[in-house]
Amino acid sequence: EVTKIKLTHSAKVLPSLLSSEILEKNNFSILHINARSLLSKIGQLEILLSEFDHNFSITVISETWFGEDTFLNSFKLNDYNLFCDSRPHGGGEGVAVYVHMKLESRVESVQLECSESLIVHTGVAGRDVCSLLAVYRSPSGAAGRFLGDFSVCLSSLPAHSFVVGDLDIDLNPENFLKDSALDYDYFLNKFGFFNVTESPTRF
């Protein structure tokens, strides 16, 4: 059943928010799904994506549960390049990024405490389009150490960048005065980012 894949964050980039005409011309869009193991759900993912009347430019999957012995060719999607960061032994972690082949793409590894993460840089005809930081942070990890690394990473991202994933930072209004929520919001604003998730995805 498609409904077993939890759709946690999705955002179509609005033309009014774009400063790059390349993004507008390519109808640039990003989808994020927390799959809670893609190992048995690749068919469900293909069905879900086929139900959209749109080919997303980038699809990010968190909690892939891929390990070092996962045969990644079994998880490729037509017309997309696949990039992954996984724990060596699998488990409830990992992040995968599918980038449509209409975009040139290259991946950059990044180390964020207690997380799987990578940066994908995209372009068209040799011109940079945008960069995307994809993150899955384990809720069992120390949020403070993660946010320290996160702020350094944000400071290094180029213009026209997006942050997508499951960061497990509690932004419920009644808990917003927690240090992790305040620091997260501060770092986003400091480096010119803003949160497009308008309501809690989990309680």
Side-chain angles (χ1 to χ4, degrees):
E1 297 175 37
V2 171
T3 54
K4 288 184 180 177
I5 294 181
K6 182 184 177 187
L7 179 63
T8 56
H9 298 75
S10 64
K12 187 171 188 304
V13 181
L14 301 176
S16 61
L17 301 177
L18 300 177
S19 55
S20 168
E21 65 180 48
I22 300 176
L23 293 178
E24 290 186 65
K25 286 180 180 178
N26 285 275
N27 196 18
F28 190 87
S29 57
I30 301 170
L31 174 71
H32 171 255
I33 296 170
N34 183 313
R36 287 192 54 79
S37 180
L38 193 57
L39 295 172
S40 62
K41 297 176 183 170
I42 187 63
Q44 296 174 42
L45 175 61
E46 290 172 324
I47 292 170
L48 177 64
L49 293 176
S50 72
E51 293 182 348
F52 288 97
D53 185 25
H54 176 76
N55 289 322
F56 288 94
S57 307
I58 299 176
T59 296
V60 178
I61 308 293
S62 56
E63 287 199 68
T64 59
W65 296 15
F66 291 168
E68 59 186 6
D69 59 345
T70 301
F71 185 60
L72 293 179
N73 281 341
S74 299
F75 298 92
K76 290 190 173 179
L77 298 176
N78 289 336
D79 301 322
Y80 286 85
N81 291 312
L82 171 61
F83 304 98
C84 300
D85 184 27
S86 307
R87 296 277 177 96
H89 304 294
E93 302 92 10
V95 66
V97 180
Y98 293 91
V99 182
H100 199 280
M101 288 181 178
K102 69 184 178 183
L103 295 169
E104 299 159 2
S105 54
R106 61 183 175 84
V107 68
E108 176 184 342
S109 63
V110 59
Q111 298 296 317
L112 303 180
E113 179 75 21
C114 301
S115 76
E116 288 73 53
S117 49
L118 50 83
I119 299 172
V120 178
H121 302 284
T122 66
V124 172
R127 294 178 60 190
D128 291 340
V129 173
C130 75
S131 297
L132 178 139
L133 169 62
V135 182
Y136 173 72
R137 184 185 83 83
S138 170
S140 62
R145 292 206 300 268
F146 166 80
L147 287 168
D149 290 346
F150 182 66
S151 67
V152 173
C153 185
L154 290 182
S155 71
S156 69
L157 289 174
H160 311 309
S161 291
F162 300 88
V163 178
V164 181
D166 188 345
L167 282 72
D168 276 301
I169 302 293
D170 187 356
L171 300 179
N172 288 322
E174 62 269 25
N175 298 327
F176 192 72
L177 293 180
K178 288 183 177 179
D179 288 344
S180 57
L182 290 172
D183 287 346
Y184 176 66
D185 190 61
Y186 170 76
F187 291 137
L188 289 180
N189 285 284
K190 178 179 180 180
F191 298 110
F193 293 87
F194 63 93
N195 190 359
V196 299
T197 304
E198 296 178 347
S199 60
T201 58
R202 181 177 178 181
F203 292 88

